[in-house]
Amino acid sequence: MNYTLNQLKIFLKIAELKSITKASESLHLTQPAVSIQLKNFQDQFDIPLTEVIGRQLYVTPYGEEIAKAAEKILLEVENMKYKSLAFKGKLAGQLTIAVVSTGKYVMPFYLAPFLSKHNGVNLFMDVTNRYQVLEALERNEVDFALVSVLPENLQVEKRTFIDNKLFLFGSPSLIKSVPIKGQIIPENLPLIYREEGSATRQAMEKFISQNKIPVTKKIQLTSNEAVKQAVLAGLGYSIMPIIGLENEIKNNQIQIVPIQKLPIVTSWNLIWLKGKKFSPAAVAYLDFLTKHIESINEANFSWLSTY
């Protein structure tokens, strides 16, 4: 057999996505280039690796076994690079972290000083919704996850970073035209929600339910950034984490609306599965956090204590 590492990489992506088109998009290659590499790879085996039924591509049982072998080979090739750096006395490896969408305003500050010190460590950080973050953690696909609400069904350990404070926010123009009087949110006022499964959405719904606040009109958006832009535009009020809003508050583009029983306060936590076997890079990162969390908080998040 005379397959190349590139062919292994392409076949593994096809096996993962079950689509030549999606594989080509993911690898930033043309569809004909991927098809040619798949054919050249297939020509080295007597048993079919894939089959097309109707217009759907399927990976055969034999193809699944080859994909598993390809994954191991590519992992060992990657490890060779890290071992070379380790032999030179440099920390090497990969950190994999799943981060809930609002956590993108938090996690980079805890990574930058570590990665600048250890340039042999590669980072893969997936920013997505809470459900997918916890699913990746449960499947042991990542070293760490950043969440603001700890999972109830997983045994995890944690490092706590900073408080996560949720306030009611509105634009100055909306607050002026549709004011909130006392502690009552007007019934005809649009409330802007995150998508189902979001920890922010859960906290907002719990607050509304516990305080028996009637909601007759709601807007649902699928990211914290989209909610922020909608509030800035005056589409409605929303209960949002203050993290990520520092500049908008300072520039008076968005305002906190004082209301009883707010803010809701949780914590940003870096979590990992209990009993997780870490790579040297992950062990070094936890040691780094133990020593530097407080200085990172002081340098980047001291402004939160004023709210």
Side-chain angles (χ1 to χ4, degrees):
M1 291 187 180
N2 192 30
Y3 51 75
T4 66
L5 293 176
N6 189 45
Q7 287 172 348
L8 290 176
K9 183 179 179 181
I10 289 173
F11 179 68
L12 186 60
K13 186 58 66 174
I14 291 171
E16 176 189 339
L17 299 177
K18 307 294 189 296
S19 167
I20 290 176
T21 300
K22 291 179 180 178
S24 64
E25 291 172 353
S26 177
L27 295 168
H28 305 290
L29 297 171
T30 64
Q31 188 171 330
V34 171
S35 297
I36 290 170
Q37 290 299 323
L38 175 61
K39 181 182 182 304
N40 291 341
F41 188 60
Q42 173 65 76
D43 287 345
Q44 300 178 70
F45 300 90
D46 296 329
I47 303 173
L49 303 175
T50 62
E51 58 183 346
V52 177
I53 301 176
R55 302 181 67 178
Q56 177 63 47
L57 182 144
Y58 296 89
V59 180
T60 66
Y62 180 67
E64 293 285 0
E65 291 301 314
I66 296 300
K68 291 177 184 177
E71 185 175 19
K72 291 179 181 178
I73 292 169
L74 292 170
L75 181 61
E76 283 303 312
V77 170
E78 191 71 8
N79 285 339
M80 286 171 64
K81 179 177 70 176
Y82 297 145
K83 287 174 183 177
S84 177
L85 288 169
F87 189 77
K88 297 175 183 178
K90 295 182 179 180
L91 181 66
Q94 178 166 286
L95 284 177
T96 55
I97 304 175
V99 178
V100 295
S101 58
T102 310
K104 65 179 176 286
Y105 301 115
V106 177
M107 196 68 227
F109 293 97
Y110 295 91
L111 286 166
F114 176 79
L115 294 174
S116 65
K117 183 179 179 181
H118 302 291
N119 57 17
V121 176
N122 291 330
L123 171 68
F124 175 80
M125 189 171 81
D126 184 25
V127 180
T128 184
N129 62 49
R130 184 173 185 271
Y131 173 80
Q132 291 176 317
V133 166
L134 294 181
E135 188 176 59
L137 185 70
E138 185 175 13
R139 291 179 178 176
N140 200 28
E141 296 172 349
V142 294
D143 297 317
F144 304 106
L146 182 71
V147 296
S148 60
V149 178
L150 296 175
E152 296 179 354
N153 62 331
L154 294 176
Q155 288 190 316
V156 299
E157 297 184 66
K158 66 175 182 175
R159 288 283 189 280
T160 299
F161 288 169
I162 55 173
D163 285 345
N164 180 39
K165 299 179 181 180
L166 286 76
F167 294 86
L168 182 68
F169 286 97
S171 68
S173 59
L174 183 63
I175 292 171
K176 184 177 180 180
S177 61
V178 190
I180 292 179
K181 298 178 180 179
Q183 305 299 330
I184 300 173
I185 300 177
E187 290 188 27
N188 63 344
L189 180 71
L191 284 178
I192 305 172
Y193 288 73
R194 284 284 305 277
E195 76 282 2
E196 294 282 353
S198 159
T200 300
R201 168 71 172 255
Q202 291 173 0
M204 184 171 175
E205 288 184 327
K206 183 178 180 180
F207 174 80
I208 288 171
S209 174
Q210 288 179 340
N211 291 278
K212 298 181 174 56
I213 298 171
V215 178
T216 58
K217 189 174 183 180
K218 68 169 66 172
I219 298 170
Q220 178 175 301
L221 300 173
T222 56
S223 74
N224 193 70
E225 189 65 26
V227 172
K228 179 172 78 171
Q229 294 302 322
V231 173
L232 288 171
L235 286 179
Y237 288 96
S238 185
I239 294 175
M240 304 167 61
I242 194 171
I243 196 74
L245 296 173
E246 180 182 11
N247 291 332
E248 288 79 9
I249 293 171
K250 286 181 178 178
N251 295 331
N252 199 36
Q253 295 174 285
I254 196 169
Q255 294 178 355
I256 295 173
V257 182
I259 189 168
Q260 191 175 0
K261 298 182 182 178
L262 287 179
I264 301 166
V265 181
T266 59
S267 297
W268 285 110
N269 296 285
L270 190 73
I271 62 173
W272 60 94
L273 292 176
K274 196 169 185 178
K276 169 77 175 175
K277 289 181 171 57
F278 283 126
S279 67
V283 171
Y285 183 56
L286 282 179
D287 182 61
F288 167 83
L289 288 176
T290 300
K291 295 175 181 176
H292 298 287
I293 280 179
E294 289 185 8
S295 61
I296 292 172
N297 290 348
E298 180 63 28
N300 300 285
F301 301 111
S302 58
W303 64 274
L304 290 171
S305 63
T306 60
Y307 296 95

